[in-house]
Amino acid sequence: MSLSSCTLLLLLFQIGLLLCGFCFAGDPTASYELEFSYITASPLGVPQQVIAVNGKFPGPTLNVTTNYNVVVNVKNRLDESLLITWPGIEMRRSSWQDGVLGTNCPIPSKWNWTYHFQVKDQIGSYHYVPSTNFQRAAGGFGGFVVTNRKVIALPFDTPDGDIVITIGDWYTRNHSDLRASLDNGEELGMPDGVLINGKGPFKYSSVVPDGINHTTLNVDPGKTYRIRVINVGVSTCLNFRIQSHNLLLAEAEGHYTSQQNYTSFDIHVGQSYSFLVTMDQNASSDFYIVASPRFVNESVWQRVTGVAILHYSNSKGHASGPLPDAPNDVYDHSFALNQAMSVRMNNSASGARPNPQGSFHYGSINVTNTYVLRSAPPVMINGTRRAAFNGVSFANPKITPVRLADSHNVKGAYKLNFPKTPLDEPPRIARSIINETYKGFVEIILQNNDTVVQSFHMDGYSFFVVGMAYGNWTEDSRGSYNRWDAISRSTTQVFPGGWTAILVYLDNVGAWNLRTVNLDRWYLGQETYIRIVNPEDHEQKTELPMPDNALFCGALGHLQRPQKQLSSAGSTIQEQSKSSYFMQVAFAAVVYMMI
């Protein structure tokens, strides 16, 4: 080979390294394009406008591996602004990518914006979903799966298949109509049904109208499947069950659990779980998959039930007869509470890292601060119906995102005066957020004085659910805390008239949203943010700088440059990383020169 050929090979090799971001030593990149648009669908037999992703409802599931860099170009073809958030994905060092109004300016209609983040040290079952304008009630959601690296063993035998199921309550009214109802001070009322993977119920009885398409899961007898179930609904907790099959709980929002069997399981809004389900039944007929509402008058809500079909490949007939029973605990609220507290960490299993999940001994760490966040039924504030934490209802319109305001020294964008305990004064509307210390270890008490069961979510973190009970929390309640194997997750339930206690280590710099996931309460202002700054980080090692493609809004809207609007051409999901593509080109060139 000539010297010039060797020089060319070296140059191509160097170009390949630059284009892939030194991917030999770094982590791979997965790239996607997601286009959000309206389509007409009839999931409950009534034609309505839904939000599709790449023309699909629900959207496609994104599959990546621990530590992958993820690039998602979001194209907004709706007639209003859009933001996509990624519940449970911790966005380490980069709240700029979190996709809620306190961290990102919304993507205007007919614009696109590209998210860049890493699923650092994470595994598990998650989802993506719109976070603004009540759009979640119209769709726009899909699964997000982070698989473990091959060097990390699963704490169970490798399943024969992996299935993602989305469940959720559903309204046939347009999401803008639902939004208008809340703006007018009205309740949303009972949903029109429950969808399983975007489809309505199988016609198990006369209560189900004709002409509704249902979901069918095709399986093989004797095989075991990992079934990931995500509640993407508006506000209803759903009990999930598969007729005649046990649900072996294996994972909750990125952490492996102690494995135990359930015949049915409550999945609250925003929560996700993995179950191992073995197809061990006689296939004389198909089996029902059911998602039915909890903590409501179930006789009145009978039509609000999702039903899909589990079909063995050797099945001899259609499913028939009554649905499998839901928990009968109308007069015994301890059942749901005990089931919730039975979800515990598998301390000996390895998660995203080789070290066991239980190696972080949270129970022996001193708490640096305590917050009591109390929710209550919505009230009128300044003539509008609002929901609040501690009497403070968060004001979102025309907000300047927290860290964007910090980076440009915008004064008055927010106040660091969120009350640590409920206020004994009239409720108010404000941009009041929590100011906390980097690497603090805080206790948050979620006191639900509302009349409905709520889900609470914290962006940027997983927290330890150490306690849960009915009644009012007191300092004596700490005696009941689980300080050894509490599950770590990002979304937890808080029962009406009860409390939930969580512990969280604040090692992720940024501004992170704390919210009630129930969409009506969230829309009405039941949220705040926790701002965590490392004053000793002068080289931006604990927080990434503002991205070059950051959008500007609020007090900084005048800095935003116009963007060329999207063309009418559609797009599809793209899974191959650009770094992989360029490396393949460089490698092909090298091989060609060597021939």
Short mmCIF file of all heavy atoms in Angstrom, two decimals, residues 236-281:
data_model
loop_
_atom_site.label_atom_id
_atom_site.label_comp_id
_atom_site.label_asym_id
_atom_site.label_seq_id
_atom_site.Cartn_x
_atom_site.Cartn_y
_atom_site.Cartn_z
N THR A 236 -57.66 8.66 35.97
CA THR A 236 -58.27 7.51 36.63
C THR A 236 -57.27 6.40 36.89
O THR A 236 -56.57 5.96 35.97
CB THR A 236 -59.42 6.95 35.74
OG1 THR A 236 -60.35 8.00 35.46
CG2 THR A 236 -60.14 5.82 36.45
N CYS A 237 -57.21 5.96 38.14
CA CYS A 237 -56.45 4.76 38.48
C CYS A 237 -57.17 3.56 37.89
O CYS A 237 -58.39 3.46 37.95
CB CYS A 237 -56.33 4.61 39.99
SG CYS A 237 -55.62 3.03 40.52
N LEU A 238 -56.41 2.63 37.32
CA LEU A 238 -56.99 1.46 36.67
C LEU A 238 -56.43 0.18 37.27
O LEU A 238 -55.22 0.07 37.51
CB LEU A 238 -56.72 1.49 35.16
CG LEU A 238 -57.33 2.66 34.39
CD1 LEU A 238 -56.82 2.68 32.96
CD2 LEU A 238 -58.85 2.61 34.42
N ASN A 239 -57.31 -0.79 37.49
CA ASN A 239 -56.89 -2.10 37.94
C ASN A 239 -56.66 -2.99 36.72
O ASN A 239 -57.54 -3.17 35.89
CB ASN A 239 -57.94 -2.73 38.86
CG ASN A 239 -57.53 -4.10 39.35
OD1 ASN A 239 -57.90 -5.12 38.77
ND2 ASN A 239 -56.75 -4.14 40.43
N PHE A 240 -55.44 -3.53 36.61
CA PHE A 240 -55.05 -4.33 35.45
C PHE A 240 -55.04 -5.80 35.84
O PHE A 240 -54.50 -6.18 36.88
CB PHE A 240 -53.67 -3.90 34.96
CG PHE A 240 -53.19 -4.66 33.77
CD1 PHE A 240 -53.61 -4.32 32.50
CD2 PHE A 240 -52.31 -5.73 33.91
CE1 PHE A 240 -53.16 -5.02 31.39
CE2 PHE A 240 -51.85 -6.44 32.81
CZ PHE A 240 -52.29 -6.08 31.54
N ARG A 241 -55.60 -6.66 34.97
CA ARG A 241 -55.61 -8.09 35.23
C ARG A 241 -55.77 -8.85 33.92
O ARG A 241 -56.30 -8.33 32.94
CB ARG A 241 -56.72 -8.47 36.21
CG ARG A 241 -58.11 -7.95 35.82
CD ARG A 241 -59.04 -7.93 37.05
NE ARG A 241 -60.42 -7.57 36.71
CZ ARG A 241 -60.85 -6.31 36.65
NH1 ARG A 241 -60.02 -5.31 36.88
NH2 ARG A 241 -62.13 -6.07 36.36
N ILE A 242 -55.26 -10.09 33.92
CA ILE A 242 -55.40 -10.98 32.79
C ILE A 242 -56.08 -12.25 33.29
O ILE A 242 -55.59 -12.91 34.20
CB ILE A 242 -54.03 -11.32 32.16
CG1 ILE A 242 -53.32 -10.04 31.68
CG2 ILE A 242 -54.20 -12.27 30.98
CD1 ILE A 242 -51.94 -10.28 31.10
N GLN A 243 -57.19 -12.56 32.70
CA GLN A 243 -58.01 -13.68 33.14
C GLN A 243 -57.18 -14.97 33.27
O GLN A 243 -56.47 -15.36 32.35
CB GLN A 243 -59.16 -13.89 32.15
CG GLN A 243 -60.16 -14.95 32.53
CD GLN A 243 -61.25 -15.09 31.48
OE1 GLN A 243 -61.05 -14.76 30.32
NE2 GLN A 243 -62.40 -15.58 31.91
N SER A 244 -57.24 -15.59 34.45
CA SER A 244 -56.63 -16.90 34.73
C SER A 244 -55.10 -16.89 34.69
O SER A 244 -54.48 -17.96 34.71
CB SER A 244 -57.15 -17.97 33.75
OG SER A 244 -58.55 -18.08 33.82
N HIS A 245 -54.47 -15.73 34.67
CA HIS A 245 -53.02 -15.65 34.62
C HIS A 245 -52.50 -14.82 35.80
O HIS A 245 -53.10 -13.80 36.16
CB HIS A 245 -52.55 -15.00 33.32
CG HIS A 245 -52.76 -15.86 32.11
ND1 HIS A 245 -54.00 -16.07 31.56
CD2 HIS A 245 -51.87 -16.58 31.35
CE1 HIS A 245 -53.88 -16.86 30.51
NE2 HIS A 245 -52.60 -17.19 30.36
N ASN A 246 -51.40 -15.26 36.37
CA ASN A 246 -50.73 -14.50 37.41
C ASN A 246 -49.85 -13.42 36.80
O ASN A 246 -49.25 -13.61 35.73
CB ASN A 246 -49.87 -15.41 38.29
CG ASN A 246 -50.70 -16.23 39.26
OD1 ASN A 246 -51.71 -15.74 39.78
ND2 ASN A 246 -50.29 -17.47 39.50
N LEU A 247 -49.75 -12.29 37.51
CA LEU A 247 -48.86 -11.20 37.13
C LEU A 247 -47.68 -11.22 38.10
O LEU A 247 -47.84 -10.88 39.28
CB LEU A 247 -49.58 -9.86 37.21
CG LEU A 247 -50.90 -9.72 36.45
CD1 LEU A 247 -51.58 -8.39 36.79
CD2 LEU A 247 -50.68 -9.84 34.95
N LEU A 248 -46.52 -11.62 37.63
CA LEU A 248 -45.33 -11.65 38.47
C LEU A 248 -44.63 -10.30 38.33
O LEU A 248 -44.00 -10.02 37.31
CB LEU A 248 -44.40 -12.79 38.07
CG LEU A 248 -43.12 -12.94 38.90
CD1 LEU A 248 -43.44 -13.22 40.36
CD2 LEU A 248 -42.22 -14.04 38.32
N LEU A 249 -44.75 -9.45 39.34
CA LEU A 249 -44.18 -8.11 39.28
C LEU A 249 -42.66 -8.20 39.26
O LEU A 249 -42.05 -8.89 40.08
CB LEU A 249 -44.65 -7.29 40.48
CG LEU A 249 -44.14 -5.84 40.54
CD1 LEU A 249 -44.67 -5.04 39.36
CD2 LEU A 249 -44.54 -5.19 41.86
N ALA A 250 -42.03 -7.47 38.32
CA ALA A 250 -40.58 -7.54 38.16
C ALA A 250 -39.90 -6.18 38.18
O ALA A 250 -38.72 -6.09 38.54
CB ALA A 250 -40.23 -8.27 36.86
N GLU A 251 -40.61 -5.13 37.78
CA GLU A 251 -39.96 -3.81 37.66
C GLU A 251 -40.98 -2.70 37.80
O GLU A 251 -42.13 -2.84 37.37
CB GLU A 251 -39.25 -3.70 36.31
CG GLU A 251 -38.62 -2.35 36.01
CD GLU A 251 -39.28 -1.61 34.84
OE1 GLU A 251 -39.90 -2.29 33.99
OE2 GLU A 251 -39.18 -0.37 34.79
N ALA A 252 -40.58 -1.60 38.44
CA ALA A 252 -41.42 -0.42 38.56
C ALA A 252 -40.59 0.80 38.21
O ALA A 252 -39.66 1.16 38.94
CB ALA A 252 -41.98 -0.29 39.98
N GLU A 253 -40.87 1.40 37.07
CA GLU A 253 -40.25 2.66 36.64
C GLU A 253 -38.74 2.68 36.82
O GLU A 253 -38.17 3.59 37.42
CB GLU A 253 -40.90 3.83 37.37
CG GLU A 253 -42.35 4.04 36.97
CD GLU A 253 -43.16 4.80 38.02
OE1 GLU A 253 -42.56 5.58 38.76
OE2 GLU A 253 -44.37 4.58 38.08
N GLY A 254 -38.09 1.65 36.30
CA GLY A 254 -36.65 1.66 36.25
C GLY A 254 -35.94 0.96 37.37
O GLY A 254 -34.70 1.00 37.44
N HIS A 255 -36.68 0.31 38.27
CA HIS A 255 -36.03 -0.43 39.35
C HIS A 255 -36.66 -1.81 39.47
O HIS A 255 -37.89 -1.93 39.47
CB HIS A 255 -36.13 0.33 40.67
CG HIS A 255 -35.30 1.58 40.68
ND1 HIS A 255 -35.76 2.78 40.19
CD2 HIS A 255 -34.02 1.80 41.10
CE1 HIS A 255 -34.81 3.71 40.32
NE2 HIS A 255 -33.75 3.13 40.86
N TYR A 256 -35.81 -2.82 39.58
CA TYR A 256 -36.31 -4.18 39.74
C TYR A 256 -36.91 -4.35 41.13
O TYR A 256 -36.37 -3.87 42.13
CB TYR A 256 -35.19 -5.19 39.51
CG TYR A 256 -34.67 -5.19 38.09
CD1 TYR A 256 -33.33 -4.93 37.81
CD2 TYR A 256 -35.53 -5.44 37.02
CE1 TYR A 256 -32.85 -4.92 36.51
CE2 TYR A 256 -35.06 -5.43 35.71
CZ TYR A 256 -33.73 -5.17 35.47
OH TYR A 256 -33.26 -5.16 34.17
N THR A 257 -38.02 -5.04 41.17
CA THR A 257 -38.74 -5.23 42.41
C THR A 257 -38.53 -6.65 42.95
O THR A 257 -38.13 -7.56 42.22
CB THR A 257 -40.25 -5.03 42.21
OG1 THR A 257 -40.74 -6.05 41.30
CG2 THR A 257 -40.55 -3.66 41.63
N SER A 258 -38.82 -6.83 44.23
CA SER A 258 -38.95 -8.18 44.75
C SER A 258 -40.08 -8.85 43.99
O SER A 258 -41.17 -8.28 43.85
CB SER A 258 -39.25 -8.15 46.25
OG SER A 258 -38.18 -7.57 46.97
N GLN A 259 -39.85 -10.05 43.50
CA GLN A 259 -40.82 -10.69 42.62
C GLN A 259 -41.91 -11.39 43.43
O GLN A 259 -41.63 -12.22 44.28
CB GLN A 259 -40.10 -11.67 41.70
CG GLN A 259 -39.15 -10.99 40.73
CD GLN A 259 -38.38 -11.96 39.87
OE1 GLN A 259 -38.82 -13.08 39.63
NE2 GLN A 259 -37.22 -11.54 39.38
N GLN A 260 -43.15 -10.99 43.15
CA GLN A 260 -44.29 -11.63 43.79
C GLN A 260 -45.47 -11.60 42.84
O GLN A 260 -45.57 -10.72 41.98
CB GLN A 260 -44.63 -10.97 45.11
CG GLN A 260 -44.74 -9.46 45.08
CD GLN A 260 -44.82 -8.87 46.47
OE1 GLN A 260 -45.54 -9.38 47.32
NE2 GLN A 260 -44.08 -7.81 46.72
N ASN A 261 -46.34 -12.60 43.01
CA ASN A 261 -47.48 -12.76 42.11
C ASN A 261 -48.69 -11.97 42.58
O ASN A 261 -48.96 -11.88 43.79
CB ASN A 261 -47.86 -14.24 41.99
CG ASN A 261 -46.99 -14.98 41.00
OD1 ASN A 261 -46.84 -14.56 39.85
ND2 ASN A 261 -46.39 -16.09 41.44
N TYR A 262 -49.42 -11.43 41.62
CA TYR A 262 -50.69 -10.75 41.87
C TYR A 262 -51.70 -11.28 40.85
O TYR A 262 -51.35 -11.58 39.70
CB TYR A 262 -50.55 -9.24 41.71
CG TYR A 262 -49.56 -8.60 42.65
CD1 TYR A 262 -48.21 -8.51 42.32
CD2 TYR A 262 -49.97 -8.06 43.87
CE1 TYR A 262 -47.29 -7.92 43.16
CE2 TYR A 262 -49.05 -7.46 44.73
CZ TYR A 262 -47.72 -7.40 44.37
OH TYR A 262 -46.82 -6.81 45.22
N THR A 263 -52.96 -11.34 41.27
CA THR A 263 -54.02 -11.68 40.31
C THR A 263 -54.54 -10.43 39.61
O THR A 263 -55.10 -10.51 38.52
CB THR A 263 -55.18 -12.39 41.01
OG1 THR A 263 -55.66 -11.58 42.09
CG2 THR A 263 -54.71 -13.74 41.57
N SER A 264 -54.37 -9.28 40.26
CA SER A 264 -54.71 -7.99 39.65
C SER A 264 -53.85 -6.93 40.31
O SER A 264 -53.35 -7.13 41.43
CB SER A 264 -56.19 -7.66 39.82
OG SER A 264 -56.51 -7.37 41.17
N PHE A 265 -53.69 -5.79 39.62
CA PHE A 265 -52.77 -4.79 40.15
C PHE A 265 -53.27 -3.39 39.80
O PHE A 265 -53.63 -3.12 38.65
CB PHE A 265 -51.37 -5.00 39.58
CG PHE A 265 -50.29 -4.38 40.40
CD1 PHE A 265 -49.72 -5.05 41.45
CD2 PHE A 265 -49.85 -3.09 40.11
CE1 PHE A 265 -48.73 -4.47 42.22
CE2 PHE A 265 -48.86 -2.50 40.86
CZ PHE A 265 -48.29 -3.19 41.92
N ASP A 266 -53.28 -2.49 40.79
CA ASP A 266 -53.68 -1.10 40.57
C ASP A 266 -52.53 -0.32 39.96
O ASP A 266 -51.41 -0.30 40.51
CB ASP A 266 -54.08 -0.45 41.89
CG ASP A 266 -55.37 -1.00 42.46
OD1 ASP A 266 -56.13 -1.63 41.70
OD2 ASP A 266 -55.63 -0.79 43.67
N ILE A 267 -52.81 0.34 38.84
CA ILE A 267 -51.81 1.17 38.18
C ILE A 267 -52.36 2.59 38.10
O ILE A 267 -53.36 2.85 37.42
CB ILE A 267 -51.47 0.63 36.77
CG1 ILE A 267 -50.99 -0.83 36.88
CG2 ILE A 267 -50.40 1.50 36.11
CD1 ILE A 267 -50.66 -1.47 35.56
N HIS A 268 -51.73 3.49 38.82
CA HIS A 268 -52.21 4.86 38.92
C HIS A 268 -51.72 5.69 37.73
O HIS A 268 -50.79 5.29 37.01
CB HIS A 268 -51.76 5.48 40.24
CG HIS A 268 -52.39 4.80 41.44
ND1 HIS A 268 -53.45 5.35 42.14
CD2 HIS A 268 -52.14 3.61 42.03
CE1 HIS A 268 -53.80 4.52 43.12
NE2 HIS A 268 -53.02 3.47 43.07
N VAL A 269 -52.33 6.82 37.52
CA VAL A 269 -52.01 7.66 36.37
C VAL A 269 -50.52 8.00 36.36
O VAL A 269 -49.97 8.44 37.37
CB VAL A 269 -52.84 8.96 36.39
CG1 VAL A 269 -52.51 9.82 35.18
CG2 VAL A 269 -54.32 8.65 36.42
N GLY A 270 -49.88 7.75 35.22
CA GLY A 270 -48.47 8.05 35.08
C GLY A 270 -47.54 6.95 35.50
O GLY A 270 -46.33 7.03 35.25
N GLN A 271 -48.04 5.90 36.13
CA GLN A 271 -47.18 4.82 36.60
C GLN A 271 -46.95 3.77 35.52
O GLN A 271 -47.78 3.59 34.63
CB GLN A 271 -47.78 4.14 37.84
CG GLN A 271 -47.78 5.02 39.08
CD GLN A 271 -48.24 4.28 40.31
OE1 GLN A 271 -49.02 3.32 40.24
NE2 GLN A 271 -47.79 4.71 41.48
N SER A 272 -45.82 3.06 35.64
CA SER A 272 -45.54 1.96 34.73
C SER A 272 -44.91 0.80 35.50
O SER A 272 -44.17 1.02 36.47
CB SER A 272 -44.60 2.41 33.59
OG SER A 272 -43.37 2.89 34.11
N TYR A 273 -45.22 -0.40 35.06
CA TYR A 273 -44.74 -1.63 35.69
C TYR A 273 -44.40 -2.65 34.62
O TYR A 273 -44.95 -2.64 33.52
CB TYR A 273 -45.80 -2.24 36.60
CG TYR A 273 -46.13 -1.44 37.85
CD1 TYR A 273 -47.18 -0.53 37.85
CD2 TYR A 273 -45.40 -1.62 39.02
CE1 TYR A 273 -47.49 0.19 38.99
CE2 TYR A 273 -45.71 -0.90 40.16
CZ TYR A 273 -46.75 0.00 40.15
OH TYR A 273 -47.06 0.72 41.29
N SER A 274 -43.50 -3.57 34.99
CA SER A 274 -43.24 -4.76 34.17
C SER A 274 -43.72 -5.99 34.93
O SER A 274 -43.39 -6.16 36.11
CB SER A 274 -41.75 -4.93 33.88
OG SER A 274 -41.31 -4.03 32.89
N PHE A 275 -44.48 -6.84 34.24
CA PHE A 275 -44.91 -8.12 34.80
C PHE A 275 -44.38 -9.24 33.92
O PHE A 275 -44.33 -9.12 32.69
CB PHE A 275 -46.44 -8.21 34.83
CG PHE A 275 -47.11 -7.12 35.62
CD1 PHE A 275 -47.68 -6.02 34.97
CD2 PHE A 275 -47.17 -7.17 37.00
CE1 PHE A 275 -48.30 -5.02 35.68
CE2 PHE A 275 -47.80 -6.17 37.73
CZ PHE A 275 -48.37 -5.09 37.07
N LEU A 276 -43.98 -10.33 34.55
CA LEU A 276 -43.65 -11.54 33.82
C LEU A 276 -44.88 -12.43 33.84
O LEU A 276 -45.38 -12.80 34.90
CB LEU A 276 -42.46 -12.25 34.46
CG LEU A 276 -41.16 -11.44 34.53
CD1 LEU A 276 -40.09 -12.21 35.28
CD2 LEU A 276 -40.68 -11.05 33.14
N VAL A 277 -45.39 -12.74 32.66
CA VAL A 277 -46.62 -13.52 32.54
C VAL A 277 -46.33 -14.77 31.72
O VAL A 277 -45.89 -14.68 30.57
CB VAL A 277 -47.75 -12.70 31.89
CG1 VAL A 277 -49.04 -13.51 31.83
CG2 VAL A 277 -47.98 -11.39 32.65
N THR A 278 -46.56 -15.92 32.33
CA THR A 278 -46.34 -17.20 31.66
C THR A 278 -47.65 -17.73 31.09
O THR A 278 -48.67 -17.76 31.78
CB THR A 278 -45.74 -18.24 32.63
OG1 THR A 278 -44.49 -17.74 33.12
CG2 THR A 278 -45.52 -19.57 31.95
N MET A 279 -47.62 -18.13 29.84
CA MET A 279 -48.81 -18.63 29.16
C MET A 279 -48.98 -20.12 29.48
O MET A 279 -48.59 -21.00 28.71
CB MET A 279 -48.69 -18.38 27.65
CG MET A 279 -48.40 -16.94 27.31
SD MET A 279 -49.61 -15.79 28.03
CE MET A 279 -48.65 -14.28 28.18
N ASP A 280 -49.52 -20.38 30.65
CA ASP A 280 -49.57 -21.73 31.20
C ASP A 280 -50.98 -22.31 31.30
O ASP A 280 -51.21 -23.27 32.04
CB ASP A 280 -48.91 -21.75 32.59
CG ASP A 280 -49.53 -20.73 33.55
OD1 ASP A 280 -50.53 -20.08 33.16
OD2 ASP A 280 -49.02 -20.61 34.68
N GLN A 281 -51.92 -21.73 30.54
CA GLN A 281 -53.30 -22.18 30.65
C GLN A 281 -53.70 -23.05 29.46
O GLN A 281 -53.09 -22.99 28.39
CB GLN A 281 -54.24 -20.96 30.73
CG GLN A 281 -54.02 -20.09 31.96
CD GLN A 281 -54.25 -20.84 33.24
OE1 GLN A 281 -55.35 -21.35 33.48
NE2 GLN A 281 -53.24 -20.91 34.09
#
